[in-house]
PDB file of all heavy atoms in Angstrom:
ATOM      1  N   ALA A   1     -26.614  15.964  -7.975  1.00 46.00           N
ATOM      2  CA  ALA A   1     -27.275  17.050  -7.278  1.00 46.00           C
ATOM      3  C   ALA A   1     -27.070  16.986  -5.800  1.00 46.00           C
ATOM      4  O   ALA A   1     -27.093  18.039  -5.121  1.00 46.00           O
ATOM      5  CB  ALA A   1     -28.770  17.049  -7.599  1.00 46.00           C
ATOM      6  N   SER A   2     -26.862  15.833  -5.232  1.00 47.00           N
ATOM      7  CA  SER A   2     -26.733  15.685  -3.787  1.00 47.00           C
ATOM      8  C   SER A   2     -25.272  15.923  -3.305  1.00 47.00           C
ATOM      9  O   SER A   2     -25.029  15.951  -2.098  1.00 47.00           O
ATOM     10  CB  SER A   2     -27.200  14.313  -3.322  1.00 47.00           C
ATOM     11  OG  SER A   2     -26.346  13.326  -3.775  1.00 47.00           O
ATOM     12  N   ARG A   3     -24.342  16.071  -4.212  1.00 45.00           N
ATOM     13  CA  ARG A   3     -22.963  16.335  -3.814  1.00 45.00           C
ATOM     14  C   ARG A   3     -22.865  17.710  -3.203  1.00 45.00           C
ATOM     15  O   ARG A   3     -23.568  18.620  -3.584  1.00 45.00           O
ATOM     16  CB  ARG A   3     -22.021  16.231  -5.010  1.00 45.00           C
ATOM     17  CG  ARG A   3     -21.747  14.849  -5.440  1.00 45.00           C
ATOM     18  CD  ARG A   3     -20.574  14.727  -6.369  1.00 45.00           C
ATOM     19  NE  ARG A   3     -20.421  15.864  -7.254  1.00 45.00           N
ATOM     20  CZ  ARG A   3     -19.847  15.798  -8.445  1.00 45.00           C
ATOM     21  NH1 ARG A   3     -19.414  14.684  -8.899  1.00 45.00           N
ATOM     22  NH2 ARG A   3     -19.708  16.859  -9.168  1.00 45.00           N
ATOM     23  N   PRO A   4     -21.933  17.910  -2.242  1.00 47.00           N
ATOM     24  CA  PRO A   4     -21.858  19.213  -1.577  1.00 47.00           C
ATOM     25  C   PRO A   4     -21.529  20.356  -2.508  1.00 47.00           C
ATOM     26  O   PRO A   4     -21.951  21.464  -2.300  1.00 47.00           O
ATOM     27  CB  PRO A   4     -20.751  19.045  -0.540  1.00 47.00           C
ATOM     28  CG  PRO A   4     -20.372  17.613  -0.546  1.00 47.00           C
ATOM     29  CD  PRO A   4     -21.024  16.950  -1.677  1.00 47.00           C
ATOM     30  N   GLU A   5     -20.744  20.112  -3.549  1.00 46.00           N
ATOM     31  CA  GLU A   5     -20.314  21.172  -4.419  1.00 46.00           C
ATOM     32  C   GLU A   5     -20.362  20.625  -5.844  1.00 46.00           C
ATOM     33  O   GLU A   5     -19.420  19.987  -6.293  1.00 46.00           O
ATOM     34  CB  GLU A   5     -18.910  21.629  -4.021  1.00 46.00           C
ATOM     35  CG  GLU A   5     -18.514  22.913  -4.627  1.00 46.00           C
ATOM     36  CD  GLU A   5     -17.176  23.332  -4.136  1.00 46.00           C
ATOM     37  OE1 GLU A   5     -16.181  22.703  -4.463  1.00 46.00           O
ATOM     38  OE2 GLU A   5     -17.116  24.331  -3.349  1.00 46.00           O
ATOM     39  N   SER A   6     -21.432  20.830  -6.561  1.00 42.00           N
ATOM     40  CA  SER A   6     -21.559  20.318  -7.912  1.00 42.00           C
ATOM     41  C   SER A   6     -20.604  20.992  -8.868  1.00 42.00           C
ATOM     42  O   SER A   6     -20.323  22.194  -8.724  1.00 42.00           O
ATOM     43  CB  SER A   6     -22.974  20.539  -8.452  1.00 42.00           C
ATOM     44  OG  SER A   6     -23.877  19.764  -7.690  1.00 42.00           O
ATOM     45  N   GLY A   7     -20.050  20.224  -9.767  1.00 44.00           N
ATOM     46  CA  GLY A   7     -19.179  20.797 -10.798  1.00 44.00           C
ATOM     47  C   GLY A   7     -17.700  20.827 -10.364  1.00 44.00           C
ATOM     48  O   GLY A   7     -16.868  21.312 -11.132  1.00 44.00           O
ATOM     49  N   GLY A   8     -17.319  20.351  -9.222  1.00 48.00           N
ATOM     50  CA  GLY A   8     -15.924  20.384  -8.833  1.00 48.00           C
ATOM     51  C   GLY A   8     -15.759  19.600  -7.571  1.00 48.00           C
ATOM     52  O   GLY A   8     -16.665  19.194  -6.905  1.00 48.00           O
ATOM     53  N   THR A   9     -14.467  19.388  -7.230  1.00 57.00           N
ATOM     54  CA  THR A   9     -14.175  18.598  -6.045  1.00 57.00           C
ATOM     55  C   THR A   9     -13.927  19.587  -4.892  1.00 57.00           C
ATOM     56  O   THR A   9     -13.358  20.614  -5.049  1.00 57.00           O
ATOM     57  CB  THR A   9     -12.958  17.720  -6.215  1.00 57.00           C
ATOM     58  OG1 THR A   9     -11.863  18.552  -6.550  1.00 57.00           O
ATOM     59  CG2 THR A   9     -13.168  16.676  -7.303  1.00 57.00           C
ATOM     60  N   HIS A  10     -14.418  19.242  -3.728  1.00 74.00           N
ATOM     61  CA  HIS A  10     -14.259  20.101  -2.570  1.00 74.00           C
ATOM     62  C   HIS A  10     -13.023  19.595  -1.770  1.00 74.00           C
ATOM     63  O   HIS A  10     -12.941  18.455  -1.382  1.00 74.00           O
ATOM     64  CB  HIS A  10     -15.488  20.040  -1.702  1.00 74.00           C
ATOM     65  CG  HIS A  10     -15.383  20.819  -0.438  1.00 74.00           C
ATOM     66  ND1 HIS A  10     -15.313  22.188  -0.459  1.00 74.00           N
ATOM     67  CD2 HIS A  10     -15.343  20.441   0.841  1.00 74.00           C
ATOM     68  CE1 HIS A  10     -15.237  22.603   0.811  1.00 74.00           C
ATOM     69  NE2 HIS A  10     -15.231  21.606   1.597  1.00 74.00           N
ATOM     70  N   ASP A  11     -12.095  20.452  -1.543  1.00 83.00           N
ATOM     71  CA  ASP A  11     -10.876  20.147  -0.767  1.00 83.00           C
ATOM     72  C   ASP A  11     -10.998  20.834   0.586  1.00 83.00           C
ATOM     73  O   ASP A  11     -10.932  22.050   0.699  1.00 83.00           O
ATOM     74  CB  ASP A  11      -9.659  20.670  -1.508  1.00 83.00           C
ATOM     75  CG  ASP A  11      -8.375  20.269  -0.870  1.00 83.00           C
ATOM     76  OD1 ASP A  11      -8.375  19.799   0.297  1.00 83.00           O
ATOM     77  OD2 ASP A  11      -7.306  20.462  -1.490  1.00 83.00           O
ATOM     78  N   PRO A  12     -11.177  20.040   1.663  1.00 81.00           N
ATOM     79  CA  PRO A  12     -11.407  20.644   2.995  1.00 81.00           C
ATOM     80  C   PRO A  12     -10.149  21.376   3.503  1.00 81.00           C
ATOM     81  O   PRO A  12     -10.266  22.158   4.432  1.00 81.00           O
ATOM     82  CB  PRO A  12     -11.704  19.421   3.873  1.00 81.00           C
ATOM     83  CG  PRO A  12     -11.095  18.278   3.168  1.00 81.00           C
ATOM     84  CD  PRO A  12     -11.163  18.618   1.696  1.00 81.00           C
ATOM     85  N   HIS A  13      -8.992  21.123   2.964  1.00 85.00           N
ATOM     86  CA  HIS A  13      -7.760  21.767   3.445  1.00 85.00           C
ATOM     87  C   HIS A  13      -7.297  22.886   2.499  1.00 85.00           C
ATOM     88  O   HIS A  13      -6.208  23.367   2.665  1.00 85.00           O
ATOM     89  CB  HIS A  13      -6.654  20.722   3.598  1.00 85.00           C
ATOM     90  CG  HIS A  13      -7.012  19.625   4.559  1.00 85.00           C
ATOM     91  ND1 HIS A  13      -7.301  19.847   5.863  1.00 85.00           N
ATOM     92  CD2 HIS A  13      -7.132  18.305   4.361  1.00 85.00           C
ATOM     93  CE1 HIS A  13      -7.593  18.683   6.474  1.00 85.00           C
ATOM     94  NE2 HIS A  13      -7.525  17.752   5.548  1.00 85.00           N
ATOM     95  N   ALA A  14      -8.107  23.261   1.519  1.00 93.00           N
ATOM     96  CA  ALA A  14      -7.646  24.239   0.515  1.00 93.00           C
ATOM     97  C   ALA A  14      -7.717  25.685   1.053  1.00 93.00           C
ATOM     98  O   ALA A  14      -8.712  26.119   1.603  1.00 93.00           O
ATOM     99  CB  ALA A  14      -8.477  24.104  -0.732  1.00 93.00           C
ATOM    100  N   PHE A  15      -6.580  26.390   0.874  1.00 93.00           N
ATOM    101  CA  PHE A  15      -6.570  27.819   1.113  1.00 93.00           C
ATOM    102  C   PHE A  15      -5.412  28.425   0.297  1.00 93.00           C
ATOM    103  O   PHE A  15      -4.473  27.725  -0.011  1.00 93.00           O
ATOM    104  CB  PHE A  15      -6.461  28.197   2.597  1.00 93.00           C
ATOM    105  CG  PHE A  15      -5.272  27.600   3.320  1.00 93.00           C
ATOM    106  CD1 PHE A  15      -4.054  28.213   3.343  1.00 93.00           C
ATOM    107  CD2 PHE A  15      -5.429  26.420   4.001  1.00 93.00           C
ATOM    108  CE1 PHE A  15      -2.960  27.657   4.017  1.00 93.00           C
ATOM    109  CE2 PHE A  15      -4.365  25.871   4.686  1.00 93.00           C
ATOM    110  CZ  PHE A  15      -3.091  26.500   4.693  1.00 93.00           C
ATOM    111  N   ASP A  16      -5.566  29.651  -0.093  1.00 95.00           N
ATOM    112  CA  ASP A  16      -4.538  30.344  -0.822  1.00 95.00           C
ATOM    113  C   ASP A  16      -4.705  31.848  -0.467  1.00 95.00           C
ATOM    114  O   ASP A  16      -5.669  32.436  -0.890  1.00 95.00           O
ATOM    115  CB  ASP A  16      -4.716  30.129  -2.327  1.00 95.00           C
ATOM    116  CG  ASP A  16      -3.561  30.771  -3.144  1.00 95.00           C
ATOM    117  OD1 ASP A  16      -2.668  31.389  -2.531  1.00 95.00           O
ATOM    118  OD2 ASP A  16      -3.615  30.632  -4.384  1.00 95.00           O
ATOM    119  N   GLU A  17      -3.840  32.327   0.400  1.00 95.00           N
ATOM    120  CA  GLU A  17      -4.028  33.730   0.867  1.00 95.00           C
ATOM    121  C   GLU A  17      -2.688  34.348   1.146  1.00 95.00           C
ATOM    122  O   GLU A  17      -1.673  33.674   1.323  1.00 95.00           O
ATOM    123  CB  GLU A  17      -4.878  33.755   2.085  1.00 95.00           C
ATOM    124  CG  GLU A  17      -4.269  33.223   3.330  1.00 95.00           C
ATOM    125  CD  GLU A  17      -5.131  33.451   4.594  1.00 95.00           C
ATOM    126  OE1 GLU A  17      -6.387  33.346   4.493  1.00 95.00           O
ATOM    127  OE2 GLU A  17      -4.552  33.748   5.647  1.00 95.00           O
ATOM    128  N   MET A  18      -2.696  35.662   1.226  1.00 95.00           N
ATOM    129  CA  MET A  18      -1.578  36.429   1.703  1.00 95.00           C
ATOM    130  C   MET A  18      -1.795  36.747   3.168  1.00 95.00           C
ATOM    131  O   MET A  18      -2.906  37.191   3.525  1.00 95.00           O
ATOM    132  CB  MET A  18      -1.392  37.733   0.904  1.00 95.00           C
ATOM    133  CG  MET A  18      -0.985  37.473  -0.544  1.00 95.00           C
ATOM    134  SD  MET A  18       0.633  36.668  -0.743  1.00 95.00           S
ATOM    135  CE  MET A  18       1.749  37.894  -0.159  1.00 95.00           C
ATOM    136  N   TYR A  19      -0.823  36.449   4.002  1.00 94.00           N
ATOM    137  CA  TYR A  19      -0.916  36.776   5.445  1.00 94.00           C
ATOM    138  C   TYR A  19       0.401  37.333   5.917  1.00 94.00           C
ATOM    139  O   TYR A  19       1.443  36.706   5.772  1.00 94.00           O
ATOM    140  CB  TYR A  19      -1.270  35.475   6.223  1.00 94.00           C
ATOM    141  CG  TYR A  19      -1.360  35.625   7.689  1.00 94.00           C
ATOM    142  CD1 TYR A  19      -2.437  36.280   8.277  1.00 94.00           C
ATOM    143  CD2 TYR A  19      -0.349  35.201   8.553  1.00 94.00           C
ATOM    144  CE1 TYR A  19      -2.590  36.422   9.636  1.00 94.00           C
ATOM    145  CE2 TYR A  19      -0.436  35.311   9.919  1.00 94.00           C
ATOM    146  CZ  TYR A  19      -1.559  35.976  10.486  1.00 94.00           C
ATOM    147  OH  TYR A  19      -1.650  36.095  11.827  1.00 94.00           O
ATOM    148  N   ARG A  20       0.380  38.577   6.388  1.00 93.00           N
ATOM    149  CA  ARG A  20       1.576  39.252   6.856  1.00 93.00           C
ATOM    150  C   ARG A  20       2.703  39.250   5.814  1.00 93.00           C
ATOM    151  O   ARG A  20       3.859  39.025   6.151  1.00 93.00           O
ATOM    152  CB  ARG A  20       2.046  38.704   8.179  1.00 93.00           C
ATOM    153  CG  ARG A  20       1.048  38.908   9.292  1.00 93.00           C
ATOM    154  CD  ARG A  20       1.651  38.598  10.618  1.00 93.00           C
ATOM    155  NE  ARG A  20       0.707  38.979  11.668  1.00 93.00           N
ATOM    156  CZ  ARG A  20       1.025  39.227  12.872  1.00 93.00           C
ATOM    157  NH1 ARG A  20       2.275  39.117  13.242  1.00 93.00           N
ATOM    158  NH2 ARG A  20       0.128  39.565  13.725  1.00 93.00           N
ATOM    159  N   GLY A  21       2.308  39.447   4.583  1.00 93.00           N
ATOM    160  CA  GLY A  21       3.283  39.493   3.505  1.00 93.00           C
ATOM    161  C   GLY A  21       3.771  38.153   2.990  1.00 93.00           C
ATOM    162  O   GLY A  21       4.695  38.066   2.192  1.00 93.00           O
ATOM    163  N   ARG A  22       3.199  37.062   3.488  1.00 94.00           N
ATOM    164  CA  ARG A  22       3.586  35.695   3.103  1.00 94.00           C
ATOM    165  C   ARG A  22       2.437  35.054   2.314  1.00 94.00           C
ATOM    166  O   ARG A  22       1.275  35.259   2.653  1.00 94.00           O
ATOM    167  CB  ARG A  22       3.842  34.834   4.333  1.00 94.00           C
ATOM    168  CG  ARG A  22       4.759  35.380   5.335  1.00 94.00           C
ATOM    169  CD  ARG A  22       6.225  35.233   4.920  1.00 94.00           C
ATOM    170  NE  ARG A  22       7.094  35.703   5.952  1.00 94.00           N
ATOM    171  CZ  ARG A  22       8.064  34.948   6.463  1.00 94.00           C
ATOM    172  NH1 ARG A  22       8.263  33.762   6.057  1.00 94.00           N
ATOM    173  NH2 ARG A  22       8.807  35.458   7.401  1.00 94.00           N
ATOM    174  N   ARG A  23       2.807  34.264   1.333  1.00 94.00           N
ATOM    175  CA  ARG A  23       1.802  33.531   0.588  1.00 94.00           C
ATOM    176  C   ARG A  23       1.613  32.168   1.226  1.00 94.00           C
ATOM    177  O   ARG A  23       2.546  31.371   1.328  1.00 94.00           O
ATOM    178  CB  ARG A  23       2.156  33.327  -0.889  1.00 94.00           C
ATOM    179  CG  ARG A  23       1.098  32.574  -1.629  1.00 94.00           C
ATOM    180  CD  ARG A  23       1.221  32.605  -3.072  1.00 94.00           C
ATOM    181  NE  ARG A  23       0.063  31.950  -3.692  1.00 94.00           N
ATOM    182  CZ  ARG A  23       0.186  31.115  -4.671  1.00 94.00           C
ATOM    183  NH1 ARG A  23       1.344  30.861  -5.216  1.00 94.00           N
ATOM    184  NH2 ARG A  23      -0.908  30.564  -5.167  1.00 94.00           N
ATOM    185  N   LEU A  24       0.392  31.913   1.726  1.00 94.00           N
ATOM    186  CA  LEU A  24       0.087  30.629   2.360  1.00 94.00           C
ATOM    187  C   LEU A  24      -0.769  29.826   1.384  1.00 94.00           C
ATOM    188  O   LEU A  24      -1.790  30.303   0.921  1.00 94.00           O
ATOM    189  CB  LEU A  24      -0.708  30.861   3.633  1.00 94.00           C
ATOM    190  CG  LEU A  24      -0.141  31.885   4.638  1.00 94.00           C
ATOM    191  CD1 LEU A  24      -1.019  31.933   5.882  1.00 94.00           C
ATOM    192  CD2 LEU A  24       1.292  31.551   5.006  1.00 94.00           C
ATOM    193  N   LEU A  25      -0.321  28.632   1.114  1.00 94.00           N
ATOM    194  CA  LEU A  25      -1.042  27.764   0.206  1.00 94.00           C
ATOM    195  C   LEU A  25      -1.264  26.422   0.877  1.00 94.00           C
ATOM    196  O   LEU A  25      -0.301  25.805   1.369  1.00 94.00           O
ATOM    197  CB  LEU A  25      -0.245  27.572  -1.095  1.00 94.00           C
ATOM    198  CG  LEU A  25      -0.823  26.698  -2.161  1.00 94.00           C
ATOM    199  CD1 LEU A  25      -2.131  27.261  -2.663  1.00 94.00           C
ATOM    200  CD2 LEU A  25       0.157  26.521  -3.305  1.00 94.00           C
ATOM    201  N   GLY A  26      -2.479  25.936   0.919  1.00 93.00           N
ATOM    202  CA  GLY A  26      -2.799  24.671   1.563  1.00 93.00           C
ATOM    203  C   GLY A  26      -3.720  23.856   0.668  1.00 93.00           C
ATOM    204  O   GLY A  26      -4.549  24.391  -0.020  1.00 93.00           O
ATOM    205  N   PHE A  27      -3.534  22.527   0.721  1.00 93.00           N
ATOM    206  CA  PHE A  27      -4.355  21.634  -0.072  1.00 93.00           C
ATOM    207  C   PHE A  27      -4.250  20.249   0.530  1.00 93.00           C
ATOM    208  O   PHE A  27      -3.381  19.998   1.368  1.00 93.00           O
ATOM    209  CB  PHE A  27      -3.918  21.625  -1.537  1.00 93.00           C
ATOM    210  CG  PHE A  27      -2.431  21.438  -1.764  1.00 93.00           C
ATOM    211  CD1 PHE A  27      -1.915  20.149  -1.951  1.00 93.00           C
ATOM    212  CD2 PHE A  27      -1.583  22.511  -1.752  1.00 93.00           C
ATOM    213  CE1 PHE A  27      -0.549  19.950  -2.133  1.00 93.00           C
ATOM    214  CE2 PHE A  27      -0.199  22.310  -1.949  1.00 93.00           C
ATOM    215  CZ  PHE A  27       0.296  21.040  -2.135  1.00 93.00           C
ATOM    216  N   SER A  28      -5.084  19.344   0.070  1.00 89.00           N
ATOM    217  CA  SER A  28      -5.011  17.936   0.566  1.00 89.00           C
ATOM    218  C   SER A  28      -3.937  17.229  -0.222  1.00 89.00           C
ATOM    219  O   SER A  28      -3.984  17.200  -1.447  1.00 89.00           O
ATOM    220  CB  SER A  28      -6.373  17.262   0.359  1.00 89.00           C
ATOM    221  OG  SER A  28      -7.321  17.799   1.300  1.00 89.00           O
ATOM    222  N   GLY A  29      -3.040  16.614   0.496  1.00 84.00           N
ATOM    223  CA  GLY A  29      -1.948  15.879  -0.126  1.00 84.00           C
ATOM    224  C   GLY A  29      -2.284  14.364  -0.198  1.00 84.00           C
ATOM    225  O   GLY A  29      -3.472  14.001  -0.111  1.00 84.00           O
ATOM    226  N   PRO A  30      -1.324  13.545  -0.317  1.00 81.00           N
ATOM    227  CA  PRO A  30      -1.500  12.140  -0.365  1.00 81.00           C
ATOM    228  C   PRO A  30      -2.281  11.593   0.854  1.00 81.00           C
ATOM    229  O   PRO A  30      -1.979  11.987   1.979  1.00 81.00           O
ATOM    230  CB  PRO A  30      -0.103  11.533  -0.406  1.00 81.00           C
ATOM    231  CG  PRO A  30       0.780  12.638  -0.843  1.00 81.00           C
ATOM    232  CD  PRO A  30       0.106  13.896  -0.409  1.00 81.00           C
ATOM    233  N   GLY A  31      -3.224  10.799   0.637  1.00 84.00           N
ATOM    234  CA  GLY A  31      -4.010  10.253   1.769  1.00 84.00           C
ATOM    235  C   GLY A  31      -5.000  11.278   2.379  1.00 84.00           C
ATOM    236  O   GLY A  31      -5.555  11.024   3.426  1.00 84.00           O
ATOM    237  N   GLY A  32      -5.151  12.394   1.764  1.00 85.00           N
ATOM    238  CA  GLY A  32      -6.063  13.409   2.292  1.00 85.00           C
ATOM    239  C   GLY A  32      -5.485  14.297   3.401  1.00 85.00           C
ATOM    240  O   GLY A  32      -6.212  15.144   3.927  1.00 85.00           O
ATOM    241  N   GLU A  33      -4.257  14.062   3.756  1.00 89.00           N
ATOM    242  CA  GLU A  33      -3.652  14.852   4.831  1.00 89.00           C
ATOM    243  C   GLU A  33      -3.320  16.252   4.300  1.00 89.00           C
ATOM    244  O   GLU A  33      -2.997  16.407   3.132  1.00 89.00           O
ATOM    245  CB  GLU A  33      -2.377  14.182   5.335  1.00 89.00           C
ATOM    246  CG  GLU A  33      -2.632  12.903   6.086  1.00 89.00           C
ATOM    247  CD  GLU A  33      -3.479  13.168   7.324  1.00 89.00           C
ATOM    248  OE1 GLU A  33      -3.199  14.061   8.069  1.00 89.00           O
ATOM    249  OE2 GLU A  33      -4.418  12.379   7.528  1.00 89.00           O
ATOM    250  N   PRO A  34      -3.393  17.281   5.154  1.00 92.00           N
ATOM    251  CA  PRO A  34      -3.115  18.620   4.657  1.00 92.00           C
ATOM    252  C   PRO A  34      -1.655  18.827   4.315  1.00 92.00           C
ATOM    253  O   PRO A  34      -0.748  18.327   5.002  1.00 92.00           O
ATOM    254  CB  PRO A  34      -3.504  19.524   5.849  1.00 92.00           C
ATOM    255  CG  PRO A  34      -3.429  18.621   7.037  1.00 92.00           C
ATOM    256  CD  PRO A  34      -3.760  17.247   6.542  1.00 92.00           C
ATOM    257  N   THR A  35      -1.425  19.515   3.220  1.00 92.00           N
ATOM    258  CA  THR A  35      -0.100  19.942   2.784  1.00 92.00           C
ATOM    259  C   THR A  35      -0.088  21.483   2.722  1.00 92.00           C
ATOM    260  O   THR A  35      -0.990  22.056   2.186  1.00 92.00           O
ATOM    261  CB  THR A  35       0.197  19.371   1.385  1.00 92.00           C
ATOM    262  OG1 THR A  35       0.162  17.920   1.470  1.00 92.00           O
ATOM    263  CG2 THR A  35       1.614  19.798   0.895  1.00 92.00           C
ATOM    264  N   VAL A  36       0.983  22.068   3.314  1.00 93.00           N
ATOM    265  CA  VAL A  36       1.036  23.514   3.419  1.00 93.00           C
ATOM    266  C   VAL A  36       2.362  24.034   2.869  1.00 93.00           C
ATOM    267  O   VAL A  36       3.443  23.428   3.123  1.00 93.00           O
ATOM    268  CB  VAL A  36       0.894  23.944   4.917  1.00 93.00           C
ATOM    269  CG1 VAL A  36       1.055  25.432   5.067  1.00 93.00           C
ATOM    270  CG2 VAL A  36      -0.461  23.507   5.457  1.00 93.00           C
ATOM    271  N   LEU A  37       2.291  25.134   2.153  1.00 92.00           N
ATOM    272  CA  LEU A  37       3.491  25.836   1.652  1.00 92.00           C
ATOM    273  C   LEU A  37       3.429  27.289   2.170  1.00 92.00           C
ATOM    274  O   LEU A  37       2.373  27.926   2.097  1.00 92.00           O
ATOM    275  CB  LEU A  37       3.536  25.812   0.134  1.00 92.00           C
ATOM    276  CG  LEU A  37       3.561  24.472  -0.558  1.00 92.00           C
ATOM    277  CD1 LEU A  37       3.472  24.623  -2.087  1.00 92.00           C
ATOM    278  CD2 LEU A  37       4.797  23.698  -0.169  1.00 92.00           C
ATOM    279  N   VAL A  38       4.550  27.774   2.669  1.00 92.00           N
ATOM    280  CA  VAL A  38       4.701  29.171   3.035  1.00 92.00           C
ATOM    281  C   VAL A  38       5.743  29.741   2.121  1.00 92.00           C
ATOM    282  O   VAL A  38       6.918  29.342   2.135  1.00 92.00           O
ATOM    283  CB  VAL A  38       5.154  29.335   4.529  1.00 92.00           C
ATOM    284  CG1 VAL A  38       5.352  30.783   4.853  1.00 92.00           C
ATOM    285  CG2 VAL A  38       4.082  28.688   5.446  1.00 92.00           C
ATOM    286  N   ASP A  39       5.325  30.711   1.277  1.00 91.00           N
ATOM    287  CA  ASP A  39       6.225  31.271   0.281  1.00 91.00           C
ATOM    288  C   ASP A  39       6.868  30.183  -0.567  1.00 91.00           C
ATOM    289  O   ASP A  39       8.070  30.267  -0.923  1.00 91.00           O
ATOM    290  CB  ASP A  39       7.289  32.182   0.914  1.00 91.00           C
ATOM    291  CG  ASP A  39       6.681  33.406   1.551  1.00 91.00           C
ATOM    292  OD1 ASP A  39       5.639  33.848   1.055  1.00 91.00           O
ATOM    293  OD2 ASP A  39       7.292  33.921   2.494  1.00 91.00           O
ATOM    294  N   GLY A  40       6.137  29.134  -0.868  1.00 90.00           N
ATOM    295  CA  GLY A  40       6.636  28.046  -1.732  1.00 90.00           C
ATOM    296  C   GLY A  40       7.432  26.982  -1.002  1.00 90.00           C
ATOM    297  O   GLY A  40       7.831  26.012  -1.627  1.00 90.00           O
ATOM    298  N   ARG A  41       7.684  27.174   0.287  1.00 91.00           N
ATOM    299  CA  ARG A  41       8.437  26.207   1.072  1.00 91.00           C
ATOM    300  C   ARG A  41       7.491  25.358   1.905  1.00 91.00           C
ATOM    301  O   ARG A  41       6.583  25.888   2.517  1.00 91.00           O
ATOM    302  CB  ARG A  41       9.472  26.881   1.970  1.00 91.00           C
ATOM    303  CG  ARG A  41      10.558  27.531   1.158  1.00 91.00           C
ATOM    304  CD  ARG A  41      11.566  28.163   2.082  1.00 91.00           C
ATOM    305  NE  ARG A  41      12.646  28.757   1.282  1.00 91.00           N
ATOM    306  CZ  ARG A  41      13.875  28.845   1.702  1.00 91.00           C
ATOM    307  NH1 ARG A  41      14.218  28.442   2.891  1.00 91.00           N
ATOM    308  NH2 ARG A  41      14.796  29.410   0.943  1.00 91.00           N
ATOM    309  N   PRO A  42       7.731  24.052   1.980  1.00 92.00           N
ATOM    310  CA  PRO A  42       6.808  23.190   2.740  1.00 92.00           C
ATOM    311  C   PRO A  42       6.930  23.410   4.235  1.00 92.00           C
ATOM    312  O   PRO A  42       8.016  23.632   4.752  1.00 92.00           O
ATOM    313  CB  PRO A  42       7.263  21.785   2.385  1.00 92.00           C
ATOM    314  CG  PRO A  42       8.652  21.904   1.911  1.00 92.00           C
ATOM    315  CD  PRO A  42       8.780  23.285   1.311  1.00 92.00           C
ATOM    316  N   LEU A  43       5.774  23.363   4.862  1.00 91.00           N
ATOM    317  CA  LEU A  43       5.714  23.466   6.343  1.00 91.00           C
ATOM    318  C   LEU A  43       5.015  22.209   6.828  1.00 91.00           C
ATOM    319  O   LEU A  43       3.876  21.940   6.433  1.00 91.00           O
ATOM    320  CB  LEU A  43       4.927  24.692   6.775  1.00 91.00           C
ATOM    321  CG  LEU A  43       4.648  24.864   8.281  1.00 91.00           C
ATOM    322  CD1 LEU A  43       6.009  25.044   9.022  1.00 91.00           C
ATOM    323  CD2 LEU A  43       3.727  26.001   8.532  1.00 91.00           C
ATOM    324  N   HIS A  44       5.694  21.425   7.656  1.00 90.00           N
ATOM    325  CA  HIS A  44       5.151  20.169   8.159  1.00 90.00           C
ATOM    326  C   HIS A  44       4.045  20.454   9.206  1.00 90.00           C
ATOM    327  O   HIS A  44       4.225  21.270  10.075  1.00 90.00           O
ATOM    328  CB  HIS A  44       6.236  19.335   8.783  1.00 90.00           C
ATOM    329  CG  HIS A  44       5.776  18.014   9.279  1.00 90.00           C
ATOM    330  ND1 HIS A  44       5.382  17.004   8.455  1.00 90.00           N
ATOM    331  CD2 HIS A  44       5.634  17.533  10.538  1.00 90.00           C
ATOM    332  CE1 HIS A  44       4.999  15.957   9.159  1.00 90.00           C
ATOM    333  NE2 HIS A  44       5.156  16.282  10.452  1.00 90.00           N
TER     334      HIS A  44
END
């Protein structure tokens, strides 16, 4: 009950949106560092 989001894990770097016709996808990668894809291609 005291977890910030019961029933699932909270990813502070998570996003999935369309921006200017591009699909932006972000999530926590290895070590919790943010991982980002633009139209399926990685962006450092």
